[in-house]
């Protein structure tokens, strides 16, 4: 939940809210015989005359990604493992980034490394994919021993957001062209 009042007065953004959360199959099937499912919960609104937004997951916007990639690629400790470029532009001319992540190596050594391709946000409503991608990028660019080993053996090609237009306009499954791929 995002409360405009809480954001304005306490600088508090998205918070978890809700109790008695239940998801169950209803006893009465539809006329076609198909089962119906119901999601219920109880929620207390914190303030009167407030504007409140609800989301099934913490939002992760295209702007969040741009800011994160900027921070990641300007961090001198991490930037030596990352090469970033624009894979293409979307229908609305937004950037679709591709990152190459590996330990520095000689050209001959690179030819022996296998490539791992990882992408997120084909469906724009799957914000959890962006949070997972952020966690993966934080890990794979760290000095954790496992991350160092992985970068030593593999070249990671990472596309952190495949459908930026759908994310920007707030679609759940479709691109700007109203296509669900």
């Amino acid at each position: 939940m995002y409360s405009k009042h809480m954001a304005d007065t306490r600088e508090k953004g998205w918070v978890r809210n809700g109790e008695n959360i239940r998801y169950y199959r209803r006893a009465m099937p539809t006329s076609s015989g198909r089962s119906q499912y119901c999601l219920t919960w109880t929620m207390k609104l914190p303030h009167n005359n407030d504007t409140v937004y609800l989301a099934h997951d913490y939002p992760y916007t295209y702007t969040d990604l741009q800011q994160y990639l900027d921070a990641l690629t300007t961090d001198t400790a991490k930037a030596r493992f990352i090469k970033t470029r624009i894979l293409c532009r979307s229908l609305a001319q937004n950037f679709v980034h591709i990152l190459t992540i590996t330990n520095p190596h000689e050209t001959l050594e690179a030819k022996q490394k296998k490539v791992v391709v990882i992408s997120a946000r084909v469906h724009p409503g799957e914000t959890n994919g962006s949070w997972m991608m952020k966690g993966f990028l934080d890990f794979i660019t760290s000095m954790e021993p496992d991350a160092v080993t992985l970068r030593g053996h593999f070249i990671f090609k990472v596309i952190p957001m495949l459908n930026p237009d759908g994310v920007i306009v707030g679609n759940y499954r479709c691109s700007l062209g109203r296509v669900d791929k």
Side-chain angles (χ1 to χ4, degrees):
M1 176 192 79
Y2 181 93
S3 160
K4 180 113 171 60
H5 183 271
M6 285 174 35
D8 292 345
T9 60
R10 292 191 244 162
E11 296 184 4
K12 196 165 197 171
W14 289 92
V15 296
R16 293 194 184 277
N17 194 336
E19 299 173 347
N20 306 318
I21 300 167
R22 293 183 50 219
Y23 182 70
Y24 59 92
R25 183 169 31 181
R26 294 185 59 181
M28 295 288 292
T30 64
S31 58
S32 66
R34 294 183 59 167
S35 296
Q36 286 185 326
Y37 292 85
C38 189
L39 172 67
T40 63
W41 73 93
T42 304
M43 187 176 145
K44 188 181 272 190
L45 298 176
H47 304 283
N48 293 330
N49 300 317
D50 191 8
T51 300
V52 175
Y53 301 93
L54 301 177
H56 69 85
D57 204 346
Y58 286 99
Y60 194 98
T61 65
Y62 181 70
T63 301
D64 292 334
L65 174 65
Q66 297 298 100
Q67 291 170 347
Y68 175 73
L69 291 178
D70 184 55
L72 191 65
T73 57
T74 57
D75 179 330
T76 55
K78 295 181 178 215
R80 62 192 179 118
F81 307 123
I82 304 169
K83 288 184 182 149
T84 183
R85 64 184 175 89
I86 304 305
L87 177 64
C88 62
R89 285 191 176 253
S90 66
L91 187 61
Q93 298 304 304
N94 293 299
F95 295 126
V96 177
H97 299 273
I98 185 166
L99 310 174
T100 302
I101 302 169
T102 192
N103 284 343
H105 55 263
E106 298 296 323
T107 307
L108 185 59
E109 182 187 2
K111 290 180 180 180
Q112 297 171 351
K113 288 184 177 183
K114 294 196 182 291
V115 175
V116 178
V117 179
I118 302 172
S119 67
R121 295 300 283 274
V122 174
H123 298 117
E126 296 167 348
T127 57
N128 51 348
S130 283
W131 291 109
M132 292 293 294
M133 180 63 76
K134 181 181 181 305
F136 170 75
L137 291 171
D138 286 344
F139 167 74
I140 203 65
T141 59
S142 75
M143 290 309 295
E144 291 288 326
D146 289 342
V148 173
T149 300
L150 286 168
R151 288 193 314 266
H153 288 82
F154 300 97
I155 297 172
F156 293 90
K157 297 288 188 174
V158 180
I159 307 166
M161 190 176 286
L162 274 169
N163 188 348
D165 296 347
V167 171
I168 290 167
V169 300
N171 290 347
Y172 187 77
R173 291 201 47 99
C174 298
S175 66
L176 190 62
R178 298 182 304 239
V179 177
D180 178 8
K181 298 226 174 192

